Amino acid sequence: MGLDDDTRAARPPGRPRNARADEAILTAAIDLLLERGVSQVSVEQVARLAGVTRATVYRRFPNLTALLVGAIEWEYRDADDAAPDWPDVEAMVASWAAQLGSPRDRKLMRRLYATVDDYPELLQAYADARGHRGAESVRATLDRARRDGRLPSHVDPVVLQQILGGAALLYVSVHPDTSGEDAIEAYFTDVLRQAGYRPAAAHEGVQDDD
């Protein structure tokens, strides 16, 4: 009988799990993922950093992938499940800039996209944690901008959303993490302008001339 079996047998039925151990394990897992990348993380390293045994980790997670998925979900546990309700494209871009302005979020994003071939579950967990409703809100915001004449009528909001997603990944890959929210907003505005987008002030000026 192994350590895990001994410990499980000693635990009275129905005894609640130690919440402090849960938090220590998940914190250690996400910190190691950020610091080293998935290929350099092991259950043993997580247990050591968390100050628990490997058996304690395995009682909660059957393998490293499940542990890291749990850590990603825990990292974004306070994310709002409600779909964002941006009044316009500028508000949407400001929201993105606030998220990407966090060096921690940017590094985690890079780490997770690098795992897409070997650990696709991690990137899926990230997308789920960040909320698929956000993607629906992006399409709705772009579609509204097209109806309002701020995007050309021929622009496909779905395709433009994909372009913006790629632009976000490129930004966090090539720009220093010290770049601030203003720079990020300007970057996305430039990308949108290439698709024919007219910011509110410019659009209002055209309306006045008419």
Side-chain angles (χ1 to χ4, degrees):
M1 181 181 291
L3 176 61
D4 191 35
D5 293 331
D6 288 338
T7 308
R8 186 180 294 113
R11 174 184 294 179
R15 179 182 175 184
R17 224 163 53 183
N18 186 324
R20 284 186 297 179
D22 289 349
E23 182 172 347
I25 291 167
L26 294 169
T27 299
I30 202 73
D31 286 349
L32 286 170
L33 173 60
L34 280 162
E35 179 185 343
R36 304 180 181 181
V38 177
S39 62
Q40 300 299 316
V41 179
S42 69
V43 170
E44 183 174 8
Q45 291 169 338
V46 171
R48 185 183 304 117
L49 183 60
V52 300
T53 66
R54 285 186 300 171
T56 299
V57 177
Y58 280 120
R59 278 198 298 275
R60 290 157 171 78
F61 304 99
N63 52 52
L64 178 63
T65 300
L67 169 58
L68 293 176
V69 166
I72 293 164
E73 293 171 346
W74 182 81
E75 174 75 6
Y76 292 105
R77 63 197 179 281
D78 295 327
D80 191 351
D81 289 334
D85 186 17
W86 297 303
D88 51 35
V89 170
E90 282 74 25
M92 179 180 74
V93 169
S95 176
W96 293 349
Q99 178 188 343
L100 295 179
S102 163
R104 182 180 177 88
D105 276 359
R106 286 162 74 159
K107 188 170 185 178
L108 183 55
M109 186 176 176
R110 290 193 297 269
R111 290 296 195 196
L112 293 176
Y113 270 93
T115 72
V116 65
D117 290 324
D118 298 322
Y119 297 91
E121 303 92 339
L122 303 188
L123 192 56
Q124 185 62 51
Y126 174 75
D128 290 343
R130 295 304 302 168
H132 287 298
R133 292 188 182 90
E136 297 169 2
S137 294
V138 172
R139 287 192 293 272
T141 303
L142 294 174
D143 191 50
R144 185 165 58 249
R146 184 179 62 174
R147 293 196 307 269
D148 292 343
R150 296 177 62 187
L151 276 170
S153 60
H154 67 270
V155 169
D156 185 334
V158 175
V159 174
L160 182 53
Q161 179 184 10
Q162 294 170 346
I163 292 171
L164 291 167
L169 184 58
L170 176 64
Y171 190 90
V172 302
S173 299
V174 303
H175 289 79
D177 287 347
T178 53
S179 60
E181 293 182 23
D182 289 346
I184 299 171
E185 286 191 49
Y187 169 79
F188 279 114
T189 300
D190 286 344
V191 173
L192 284 160
R193 284 180 184 275
Q194 295 304 308
Y197 177 72
R198 290 186 291 177
H203 184 62
E204 289 167 1
V206 172
Q207 293 282 31
D208 290 342
D209 292 339
D210 292 340

